[in-house]
Amino acid sequence: MHLDVKDLRNFYYRSMLGRAAQKAIRDEVRHLWPDATGQSMVGFGFAVPLLRPYLPTARRIIGLMPAPQGVMPWPLGMPNVSALCEETLWPLETGHVDRLVMMHGLENCERPTDLLDEAFRVLGPGGRALFIVPHRAGMWSRSDATPFGYGRPYSTAQLEAQLRSHGFMPERHRTTLFQPPSHRRFWRKTASVWESTGRALSPVMSGGVLMVEASKRIHAPTNGLRNTVRKPLEILAPKPEVAPI
């Protein structure tokens, strides 16, 4: 089930809780990927709030939004880079994406297998993807007050296993959003304290959002090579005796 793009926009841009969530997640993305100069970046789902810091330096940025969700123009006051697309059929060339960020995409998709195949297709050699989903052990997946309360929450083991089955190699994972998913003023004023405390205690304190960075795994071709080196020392074998004529 996808939320409407208007609900996502209102949460991330027009509520204190949403702006706090946007900042916490974006800070983690920037920590993982501090620089994207000259690279091609794509956000799928509703990942555009996380891409703004890369606008000045990235070679190209595209915000893909699935048809069941709807699309909105982004960024405000600048040439639009967002586009509506089918969940499992993206208008991108194969192997031309350097960085992919997926948020509010995987957990809501009815065909996650096809979606991950499409993400794998568009990534280029050495490309990396960042999958951001509701954390099964966190508070945010249990609250309907935020977009992370919808769709399928994941544990780290579940998400990494699903990514491996589609050719991705999980590299790093972390959680964020340790603050309670509440609009009350007290929690909003203490949000930064919760986040800093949560990062320090992350091995024992579960954040509401799980982030897994994965690279595109490509196997080296073996057809032909295997037959060539099957008996590499045949040339050193003694020549058979030749019967006299």
Side-chain angles (χ1 to χ4, degrees), residues 9-62:
R9 179 196 61 192
N10 291 339
F11 176 75
Y12 282 108
Y13 290 103
R14 299 181 180 178
S15 72
M16 292 182 62
L17 178 60
R19 288 194 294 269
Q22 178 186 156
K23 181 182 184 306
I25 299 172
R26 189 171 59 209
D27 286 349
E28 290 298 324
V29 174
R30 290 281 286 172
H31 181 76
L32 290 170
W33 296 346
D35 182 50
T37 301
Q39 295 184 336
S40 177
M41 297 191 71
V42 171
F44 176 79
F46 196 78
V48 289
L50 312 179
L51 302 181
R52 179 172 286 277
Y54 302 102
L55 283 171
T57 58
R59 178 172 62 88
R60 180 177 65 170
I61 288 182
I62 299 176

